Amino acid sequence: MRRVWRRNITIRVVAATLLLSAVVVTALGLLLSHQVARGVLDDKRRAALGEFTAGVTIAQGQLSQSDAVDQAQVTALLAHIVQQVSGCQNGGYQVQLLATTNATDAFYDCGSSQAAIPHALRATVRSQVEASTYVHLGSAVQLPGTSGSPLALAVGAPLTAPAGSGPYELYFLFPLNTEQQTVALVNRTLLLAGLVLVLLLGGIAALVTRQVVTPVRMAARVASRLAAGRLEERMAVEGEDDLARLAASFNDMAHNLQRQIGQLEELSRVQRRFTADVSHELRTPLTTVRMAADVLHEARTTFPPEVARSAELLTAELDRFESLLGDLLEISRYDARAAALEPTRVDVAALVRAEVAAVEPLAAERGSHLDVDGVPTTPVYVEVDARRVARIVRNLLSNAVEHGEGRPVEVALVGAAAVVGLRVRDHGIGLRPGEIGLVFGRFWRGDPSRARRTGGSGLGLAIALEDARLHGGWLQAWGEPGRGATFRLVLPRTAGGVVVAAPLPLAPDDAPVDA
Amino acid sequence: MPARVLVVDDDPALAEMLGIVLRGSGFEASFVPDGRRALAAFRATKADLVLLDLMLPGMDGVEVCRALRAESTVPIVMLTAKSDTGDIVAGLEAGADDYVVKPFKPAELVARIRARLRQEPAAEESVSIGPADDPVEIDVAGHVVRRGQDVLTLTPLEFDLLVALARKPRQVFTREVLLEQVWGYRHQADTRLVNVHVQRLRSKVERDVEHPDVVVTVRGVGYKAGPA
């Protein structure tokens, strides 16, 4: 829910619009309702007062002209007055004529029950002032023309009675049910209109937001597709507004991006093509030269000594030339990103042993012993590109033998759950501080003053590093002057896996681990 | 009589050098410089082995290979300037038996050619491989392979591969062992050679290539005679 709220602009905008418009519409509605109610009641009041004044005039006239002397006559007169001013038939109001002093002396024009006149009103009227007030009637009270209306307007005025009888008060009670109904209708209408207005505003907000958000969302979608490599994706440009400009600039950007990537791809393609062509064009004559040299080499015993030695040098240097060419082509394939992994299930323990066996002659020549006690005799199956891993192992082994000063070279292999680690340690000249980062550099030589003996291409470790990276693995070096050097290769056991930890330490156990 | 080798290569210097080396090793060499004429030259010379450069003018080496294989079981060794895997696999799938990557040493090339031309003396008359109720019968001496009523046309390499598996029906052969026994590699070599040729062999001997019962795969190890 929170996620939807945070991710969806439309929902946020609509919610805010609903809330704000609800507040505004409510305030406006309350004001309107109040104004309407006041207007309606004021009108009623004005009409009521008019009727009341007329009634009072009639009643006072009758009272003033009367010559009643005894109580019975006064009573008859009062009853007559009440009948005269009665609003039961057409006025829609109730008349009460009350004696100020005598509570039982009261006259009503109609209605089975009488509303009680509030004491406050009566007190005001008694002080010889005409007054009016609104009265809440009990449910038992029935006024003419009403159906249980709870509100009425009570108007009262004092009457001057003939001498001998107490002062009287005349009250008119106007039921307000029509007005209340009007006000209620207005209120209902206002409420409905307010609700509809709020919903409408919410809808409009949603619509407007959609208009803005849809192109933005489209831009986001197109951008993510572009990022995923679908460079031909474009936004639709409609009209000339800001969004259209956004779409147009976006498309310009995508177009430039596509063009640049296209150029880079073309360059890379040309580079790959060039690599392939060089490979072919160089290798064919080299093959001829190679065979010619070998034929000469085979026949060298029949040559004079200088020519025989020349044939030997030719053959030996051709080997170097070939390995250099092979390494150069391999590294250029990496540079052109043309190197592809071909993983198969391989027993790396057997692979390492085979490579050790292949390097054995060189090691024997140098007096180095290749110690494979750390390589398990049981198979260690790993999903790797066997050709590349064999090349890494070969490079590490020949590197160790070359720099091992004739001392033993130790090979260790550890298969963990998700990774396999290979460590090749020599006890030769080692690496000076700062050289650890350089050993994988192209054509880097540890000690330029030392004579080269094996004549490696200088690309071996650089290629090994690329091979390891292609597998998603690590290739790391450790070394100290006089303590030898160690190389550690860590590969994921399955193709596409990742290496998070090495199964064996890089540095010797008595040195700090540099992972 | 010396074995005849047909060299299909567009580079005259290399072709001449190949000729010198081949003749020096006791073969009789003939040459054709482009792919289009290779087929006719093969028919004319009745070569025992074809040495085929993959990059050829006129007709691509892979196509030449396919055309040759369509009409003959002659051993084909590819010369390739690329160690790029796509071309090698394409060549092997088109029917080449083996390949040599330029630049190669003459001894290496000769070893590859000899391995392909080698005729092992037949130790036994016949062996069989596959399910007991529907076996593949191999007449080793007569170089004839039958399954049921069908006579199967196998290349010498496929024949050697099948015989190697049939002779030791209980043994699981790793790809390395097969490379040594069938291709004659003493050192490690490209195991795709085995994969591709097992597939080609299966397409000829199996009733259902998807569910092989003559040459079965032992996952993670290699192959053995079926049924498993």
Side-chain angles (χ1 to χ4, degrees), chain A residues 320-374:
Chain A
R320 256 181 75 186
F321 186 80
E322 263 174 44
S323 83
L324 186 56
L325 178 69
D327 284 355
L328 272 172
L329 289 172
E330 192 61 31
I331 208 99
S332 71
R333 254 196 289 276
Y334 270 114
D335 290 346
R337 300 193 193 290
L341 203 63
E342 287 182 27
T344 50
R345 212 164 102 94
V346 182
D347 174 8
V348 271
L351 184 147
V352 168
R353 285 173 186 284
E355 289 303 330
V356 167
V359 181
E360 207 78 70
L362 179 69
E365 197 181 295
R366 293 302 172 80
S368 281
H369 171 63
L370 291 172
D371 178 358
V372 290
D373 289 349

Side-chain angles (χ1 to χ4, degrees), chain A residues 76-100:
Chain A
L77 175 66
L78 289 176
H80 176 72
I81 289 171
V82 167
Q83 284 313 311
Q84 276 220 313
V85 298
S86 167
C88 288
Q89 304 311 314
N90 43 19
Y93 51 89
Q94 188 184 52
V95 177
Q96 295 191 16
L97 213 170
L98 308 173
T100 306

Side-chain angles (χ1 to χ4, degrees), chain B residues 1-6 22-23 25-30 45-50 75 113-114 116-119:
Chain B
M1 195 181 103
R4 290 179 300 271
V5 177
L6 175 65
L22 289 174
R23 274 190 290 275
S25 304
F27 300 107
E28 190 180 287
S30 48
T45 57
K46 296 192 180 64
D48 299 305
L49 184 138
V50 177
I113 293 173
R114 290 237 162 88
R116 286 298 94 236
L117 291 172
R118 168 192 57 183
Q119 290 290 331

Side-chain angles (χ1 to χ4, degrees), chain A residues 371-395:
Chain A
D371 178 358
V372 290
D373 289 349
V375 180
T377 47
T378 48
V380 179
Y381 287 109
V382 181
E383 218 173 71
V384 290
D385 189 326
R387 186 177 65 91
R388 293 182 197 279
V389 173
R391 185 164 62 198
I392 301 175
V393 176
R394 195 156 56 237
N395 275 321

Side-chain angles (χ1 to χ4, degrees), chain A residues 279 283-284 290 294 342 355, chain B residues 81 84-85 102-104 106 188:
Chain A
S279 168
R283 276 171 189 247
T284 300
R290 157 104 268 164
D294 274 37
E342 287 182 27
E355 289 303 330
Chain B
D84 274 335
T85 56
K102 294 181 198 172
F104 43 82
Q188 60 202 19

Side-chain angles (χ1 to χ4, degrees), chain B:
Chain B
M1 195 181 103
R4 290 179 300 271
V5 177
L6 175 65
V7 178
V8 187
D9 201 313
D10 60 315
D11 189 274
L14 180 59
E16 191 180 345
M17 197 63 232
L18 281 168
I20 293 170
V21 167
L22 289 174
R23 274 190 290 275
S25 304
F27 300 107
E28 190 180 287
S30 48
F31 306 91
V32 59
D34 74 80
R36 241 186 295 277
R37 280 183 281 169
L39 216 56
F42 169 70
R43 291 183 194 124
T45 57
K46 296 192 180 64
D48 299 305
L49 184 138
V50 177
L51 212 50
L52 178 65
D53 198 328
L54 264 192
M55 293 268 271
L56 283 175
M59 196 175 178
D60 184 58
V62 175
E63 287 171 52
V64 175
C65 196
R66 201 170 286 125
L68 279 173
R69 195 45 88 223
E71 65 177 56
S72 165
T73 59
V74 65
I76 302 172
V77 176
M78 297 184 287
L79 303 180
T80 166
K82 295 181 186 174
S83 52
D84 274 335
T85 56
D87 293 298
I88 291 168
V89 170
L92 292 175
E93 280 170 351
D97 295 298
D98 204 347
Y99 68 95
V100 190
V101 178
K102 294 181 198 172
F104 43 82
K105 295 184 172 158
E108 191 189 341
L109 175 72
V110 170
R112 301 263 55 83
I113 293 173
R114 290 237 162 88
R116 286 298 94 236
L117 291 172
R118 168 192 57 183
Q119 290 290 331
E120 269 188 67
E124 64 272 82
E125 279 302 298
S126 71
V127 287
S128 71
I129 181 171
D133 55 341
D134 183 20
V136 176
E137 302 282 354
I138 310 168
D139 176 355
V140 181
H143 261 256
V144 180
V145 180
R146 279 196 184 81
R147 187 166 198 185
Q149 298 300 309
D150 306 324
V151 174
L152 308 175
T153 312
L154 302 189
T155 67
L157 180 99
E158 289 156 1
F159 184 85
D160 290 351
L161 187 58
L162 191 63
V163 169
L165 290 165
R167 276 182 182 153
K168 291 175 179 163
R170 260 178 290 278
Q171 184 182 335
V172 178
F173 290 82
T174 64
R175 291 174 179 81
E176 288 76 14
V177 167
L178 286 172
L179 276 173
E180 189 179 339
Q181 287 199 4
V182 180
W183 277 265
Y185 281 101
R186 290 212 172 68
H187 305 296
Q188 60 202 19
D190 190 349
T191 50
R192 285 170 309 178
L193 280 174
V194 184
N195 300 348
V196 171
H197 283 284
V198 165
Q199 284 310 313
R200 290 184 62 86
L201 177 61
R202 276 180 180 159
S203 71
K204 293 181 182 177
V205 302
E206 300 287 356
R207 299 276 186 220
D208 178 3
V209 179
E210 295 298 314
H211 304 97
D213 57 4
V214 178
V215 181
V216 297
T217 305
V218 182
R219 227 185 101 71
V221 188
Y223 300 98
K224 72 183 286 287

